[in-house]
Every structure is written in C-alpha cells, then in structure tokens.
Amino acid sequence: DIQMTQSPASLSASVGDRVTITCRASQGISGSLTWYQQKPETAPKSLIYDASSLQGGVPSRFSGSGSGTEFTLTISSLQPEDFATYYCQQYKSYPYTFGPGTKVDIK
Amino acid sequence: EVQLVESGGGLVQPGGSLRLSCAASGFTFSDHYMDWVRQAPGKGLEWVGRIRNKAKSHTTEYAASVKGRFSISRDDSKNSMYLQMNSLKIDDTAVYYCVRGFSGFDSWGQGTLVTVSS
C-alpha cells in the first residue's frame, strides 16, 4: 500500500497569511493526487485534483504543485472560511489512501 | 448540480449486518465509477471500496479491512449504489460517505452514521 504523510499535523495562522502544507507519498504516484478541505461536521470538499488542477468553484488563492512523491497545497492569503482540516489522497493505485490531515486554525 | 444522498445508517450489534444506499442525481450516474469512504469519529478518512461503471462490467475493489465482509453494488436504472455490510465490527463505526470517483473523489454525499455497539 502507498502510505501518505502530511506536515505539519497542525498549524496556527492569521487571516492574510500564506500557508503551505506538504504531502509525501511512500512511492511515486505521478500526479495522481487530490487535496480536500473538511470543516467540522461536514463532508470533505475537493479543492485540487491531478496535483495542480483547481476544482470548479474553488477560489484561486488555493493552488497545488508537485509530482512523484512530494506535493504541496498553498493558500496564498488565508481567509476566515479557510480554517479547516486538509487531507491529501492518492489515486495512483489501490487501495486509495489518504494523508492523516493538517488542521489549520486561528492564531 | 451533483447530489449524493446516503441512507440506511444506524445502530447495529457486533456481528450484525446493515445495508447503506446512495441516491444520485444531477449527472449521468451510469457513466461513473462510484466509491464509499468512511470516517471514524474524530479520525481521518479511509477509502472503503469502489464499483466501476457498466463499461467496466461493474467490477469492484475493496480495502483489505472490509474485503470479504462488505459488498458494493449498483442499480443504474435507479441511479443508486449500495453497500452491504456483514459481520460488522466495533471498528466499523464511522460516518460512511458516498462519493463520485473522478480524479480522486470530486463529489461527496453528506454521510450516514453507522454505529456498531452492543
């Protein structure tokens, strides 16, 4: 199975900050990676797919990059509605696996 | 607008069975692969399994943790997918999400809670 790790596990940031979350795969997954945002008591929402493609309706302050084993999610200017937990997920091979999540909260 | 609505969750005893349903609308259901993803209380996300479309003969894939106990099926005439869960364990307690499989999971239902407890 492909193991996914994320760093940091949590971070505190202020509105307007630039935030970067890293996701690493235990083996190469090309660009088969999606980023999700989840707020408490709600279903996850897809933000970025194919490592760097923005899902329709997602603000352009979100961006993704990377290929192979290392990926990043960047929020260019954190907004109040962005405080949430972020997960990466690989869909290169079964079983599909998720990272453990990165919780972004208010400083 | 894509809509996925799960139903069928509830309280079940260890060793029991439960069948979840997912009703889809807003897209051509028969064209798409569909998946189940679960989330235990306070924990992360875990992929449960997938059912492919008719073109791929409705073949399935499962996570090791549920293989042999869970079964995914679909009825394209009803725009619905199902998750039959047998031999349930306490560790199966989770919110179960129906998701559309496209470059990851591009659409999610609201989830249905399954609690396995005596």
Side-chain angles (χ1 to χ4, degrees):
Chain A
D1 297 3
I2 298 175
Q3 309 302 318
M4 307 300 291
T5 59
Q6 288 182 233
S7 60
S10 64
L11 65 90
S12 295
S14 301
V15 172
D17 284 353
R18 182 181 182 89
V19 170
T20 298
I21 299 169
T22 298
C23 174
R24 290 184 175 87
S26 61
Q27 61 192 80
I29 59 170
S30 301
S32 300
L33 185 109
T34 294
W35 288 97
Y36 303 92
Q37 176 194 66
Q38 186 178 32
K39 298 179 182 179
E41 308 305 320
T42 66
K45 171 187 173 183
S46 176
L47 299 175
I48 303 283
Y49 65 96
D50 293 346
S52 60
S53 297
L54 198 64
Q55 198 69 251
V58 173
S60 59
R61 63 181 179 273
F62 290 94
S63 64
S65 65
S67 182
T69 61
E70 188 157 333
F71 302 85
T72 59
L73 172 70
T74 300
I75 309 172
S76 60
S77 178
L78 199 66
Q79 297 302 300
E81 60 268 30
D82 300 337
F83 292 97
T85 299
Y86 294 85
Y87 295 93
C88 62
Q89 178 240 332
Q90 66 82 18
Y91 49 93
K92 178 66 174 178
S93 66
Y94 300 109
Y96 291 164
T97 45
F98 291 86
T102 295
K103 185 175 181 180
V104 177
D105 61 22
I106 303 172
K107 181 183 284 185
Chain B
E1 179 195 2
V2 173
Q3 283 204 323
L4 301 168
V5 179
E6 303 92 339
S7 60
L11 175 63
V12 60
Q13 292 188 336
S17 298
L18 207 59
R19 188 194 195 211
L20 306 184
S21 299
C22 170
S25 60
F27 65 103
T28 305
F29 178 76
S30 58
D31 286 349
H32 285 267
Y33 294 11
M34 297 294 296
D35 297 69
W36 289 96
V37 173
R38 68 184 181 182
Q39 186 170 36
K43 302 297 185 183
L45 300 164
E46 180 187 17
W47 174 76
V48 172
R50 157 167 287 186
I51 186 164
R52 297 181 179 88
N53 58 15
K54 183 179 180 180
K56 294 293 186 181
S57 304
H58 292 165
T59 51
T60 54
E61 304 283 348
Y62 296 96
S65 58
V66 306
K67 196 169 187 178
R69 301 187 299 122
F70 289 13
S71 176
I72 301 174
S73 61
R74 63 192 292 166
D75 184 339
D76 290 347
S77 69
K78 295 182 179 180
N79 288 344
S80 293
M81 177 177 65
Y82 308 98
L83 178 64
Q84 178 66 43
M85 302 185 293
N86 299 328
S87 303
L88 282 160
K89 304 175 181 179
I90 291 175
D91 286 351
D92 294 320
T93 295
V95 173
Y96 285 73
Y97 294 104
C98 165
V99 298
R100 188 172 76 168
F102 183 77
S103 291
F105 308 126
D106 69 339
S107 299
W108 295 62
Q110 86 287 352
T112 188
L113 176 62
V114 173
T115 302
V116 185
S117 175
S118 53

